[in-house]
Amino acid sequence: MLYLSDRGISRANAASIVGLYGLFTVAGRFAMGFILDRQPFHIGIVMGMVLATASIAFLIIGLNQNIVVIIIGLCIYEFVLGAEVDCLSFSINKLFGELSFGAIYGVIGLTIFYIGVGFGGPSFSMLADHIFPYEGVFIIWSAIAAISNFSLFCTMRLKYYRG
């Protein structure tokens, strides 16, 4: 919300825009559920597309001055965030099996994911206040998503994981 306020939007309008996040997160979860249940895509390719879309959303948010484009980028990011949670749990189940699912999802899906959520906001604010402007931080996050995507494609297995 602070990022939107710094872009010239009133706090009341910024709070209304933040309220859209929940809608787009739920829409992303439903869309990813449909894709994973009904389409025979390799899970690594689907996860790679999610990370690539997140990287593009960060660039849209960080490199634009037009507030409408920034809001569209934020909505795309929230859609992808909802899709990422479903894709993560599905991929852990398909790649490691149901026997190991609880332990692996507990470490990756909960611990690491929520540590990232907990440190992401404060580190974003600290970097934006002291080192880079907001644009630089979004470019760094975009690069991290792109590196994660490249790492995923380098390590994924090349067979379809369908039940």
Side-chain angles (χ1 to χ4, degrees):
M1 193 166 97
L2 184 60
Y3 176 72
L4 295 174
S5 297
D6 287 350
R7 293 286 181 232
I9 295 179
S10 70
R11 289 194 179 264
N13 288 339
S16 298
I17 292 168
V18 171
L20 288 174
Y21 292 174
L23 294 174
F24 281 94
T25 303
V26 170
R29 293 196 74 174
F30 279 120
M32 184 54 65
F34 175 78
I35 289 170
L36 293 174
D37 287 343
R38 307 262 185 232
Q39 306 301 321
F41 296 123
H42 184 279
I43 190 63
I45 293 170
V46 174
M47 192 65 168
M49 294 304 295
V50 168
L51 288 170
T53 307
S55 180
I56 291 168
F58 290 142
L59 288 177
I60 289 172
I61 296 165
L63 298 178
N64 284 293
Q65 297 300 321
N66 185 343
I67 199 63
V68 174
V69 176
I70 290 172
I71 293 170
I72 291 170
L74 289 170
C75 291
I76 291 170
Y77 171 69
E78 286 303 316
F79 186 86
V80 168
L81 186 63
E84 183 181 25
V85 172
D86 285 352
C87 195
L88 179 65
S89 62
F90 185 83
S91 63
I92 289 172
N93 186 25
K94 287 296 179 183
L95 293 172
F96 300 107
E98 292 180 12
L99 193 60
S100 305
F101 176 77
I104 295 172
Y105 189 73
V107 171
I108 295 174
L110 297 177
T111 307
I112 294 174
F113 189 75
Y114 287 118
I115 287 173
V117 169
F119 284 109
S123 64
F124 179 88
S125 297
M126 183 187 69
L127 286 172
D129 287 343
H130 300 292
I131 299 173
F132 298 110
Y134 284 119
E135 294 82 8
V137 178
F138 279 115
I139 291 170
I140 289 170
W141 280 11
S142 178
I144 290 170
I147 291 168
S148 299
N149 196 10
F150 178 74
S151 300
L152 176 72
F153 279 126
C154 287
T155 59
M156 71 179 185
R157 298 180 194 168
L158 297 176
K159 72 174 195 174
Y160 285 92
Y161 292 98
R162 295 299 292 174

